[in-house]
């Protein structure tokens, strides 16, 4: 009897109608949430970002404001072939679609070349080490000037005809000349190692400037005769 009641209720149109209604409700809810969010967030709609590279920052700002966007200068660089205040890069890039009010970050061209402090290289590094550090900073190096001293040891740095010291700010447009040793030593270094006798032999010639005069022997008897 119980089995027949269960089968009768299971095959009831009322039960299956409720189950179908619940399934349709869940499917409708999912589609409603999906398309409702797209409508609410304007999915697929946006403002296309123009190409701002090589454009003056002032002109680019006006263009973005007209489109409902904003511009912020995030960094600066230097390109001597481009005018100052010229945009070198932008983020997001051109062609992308963004919402209204989005900030576009740009890198502009500096009006002058950047300057960097001279690292601690003088009398503290070899030519190869100094060359690597300076070129990594963007400096251009001229052929080195060699002087008497330890081979390839850095004794000084010259920029546009003047000596620069550690910590001095120098433009990367100013080429640098490293003063390095040639591995040879002059006579002054040799003299430093001479003792006093060797220096006397070299500069006096080993000859005594004074002549010893011997006192003649005097006979007492000869003196008595003279008197």
């Amino acid at each position: 009897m119980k089995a027949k009641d269960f089968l009768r209720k299971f095959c009831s149109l009322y039960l299956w109608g409720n189950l179908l209604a619940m399934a349709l409700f869940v499917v409708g809810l999912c589609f409603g949430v999906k398309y409702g969010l797209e409508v609410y967030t304007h999915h697929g709609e946006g403002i296309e970002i123009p190409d701002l590279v090589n454009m003056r920052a002032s002109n680019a700002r006006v263009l973005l404001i007209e489109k409902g966007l904003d511009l912020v200068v995030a960094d600066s660089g230097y390109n001597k072939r481009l005018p100052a205040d010229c945009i070198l890069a932008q983020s997001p890039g051109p062609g992308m679609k963004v919402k209204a009010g989005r900030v576009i970050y740009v890198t502009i061209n500096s009006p002058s070349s950047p300057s960097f402090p001279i690292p601690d290289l003088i009398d503290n590094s070899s030519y190869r080490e100094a060359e690597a550090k300076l070129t990594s900073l963007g400096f251009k190096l001229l052929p080195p000037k060699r002087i008497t001293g330890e081979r390839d040891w850095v004794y000084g740095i010259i920029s546009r005809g003047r000596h620069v010291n550690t910590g001095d700010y120098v433009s990367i447009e100013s080429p640098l000349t490293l003063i390095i040793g040639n591995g040879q030593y002059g006579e002054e270094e040799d003299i430093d190692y001479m003792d006093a006798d060797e220096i006397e032999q070299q500069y006096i010639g080993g000859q005594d400037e004074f002549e010893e005069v011997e006192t003649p022997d005097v006979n007492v008897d000869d003196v008595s005769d003279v008197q």
Side-chain angles (χ1 to χ4, degrees), residues 13-193:
L13 294 177
Y14 179 77
L15 175 63
W16 286 103
N18 287 334
L19 292 176
L20 180 60
M22 293 175 61
L24 291 175
F25 176 77
V26 171
V27 172
L29 181 62
C30 293
F31 276 97
V33 171
K34 178 179 183 297
Y35 289 105
L37 288 175
E38 290 182 356
V39 172
Y40 178 76
T41 59
H42 301 282
H43 180 71
E45 300 178 7
I47 303 172
E48 185 175 347
I49 301 176
D51 188 359
L52 306 176
V53 177
N54 296 334
M55 185 182 297
R56 293 273 188 173
S58 55
N59 298 335
R61 189 183 301 276
V62 173
L63 176 62
L64 292 179
I65 291 177
E66 292 177 351
K67 291 180 173 292
L69 304 174
D70 195 9
L71 181 144
V72 171
V73 177
D75 200 359
S76 64
Y78 180 70
N79 188 333
K80 63 181 179 182
R81 293 183 294 273
L82 296 176
D85 197 41
C86 179
I87 295 178
L88 302 177
Q90 67 179 87
S91 178
M96 295 185 62
K97 290 186 177 181
V98 296
K99 302 291 190 303
R102 176 68 183 270
V103 175
I104 310 302
Y105 298 93
V106 298
T107 300
I108 64 172
N109 195 32
S110 175
S112 59
S113 60
S115 298
F116 295 100
I118 297 296
D120 186 13
L121 303 173
I122 300 174
D123 204 23
N124 194 36
S125 67
S126 65
Y127 173 70
R128 181 174 297 180
E129 294 171 343
E131 182 184 32
K133 289 182 180 180
L134 292 174
T135 53
S136 66
L137 292 174
F139 288 106
K140 298 178 181 178
L141 299 182
L142 299 177
K145 177 182 179 182
R146 296 187 177 274
I147 62 172
T148 300
E150 183 179 346
R151 179 175 296 277
D152 292 338
W153 188 251
V154 177
Y155 289 98
I157 302 176
I158 298 177
S159 174
R160 298 191 182 278
R162 68 179 184 89
H163 287 267
V164 294
N165 300 314
T166 301
D168 291 349
Y169 278 81
V170 179
S171 170
I172 60 172
E173 293 297 309
S174 300
L176 302 178
T177 301
L178 296 179
I179 303 175
I180 62 176
N182 58 9
Q184 300 177 357
Y185 296 91
E187 293 182 355
E188 62 273 10
E189 285 82 4
D190 296 335
I191 294 174
D192 291 339
Y193 295 98

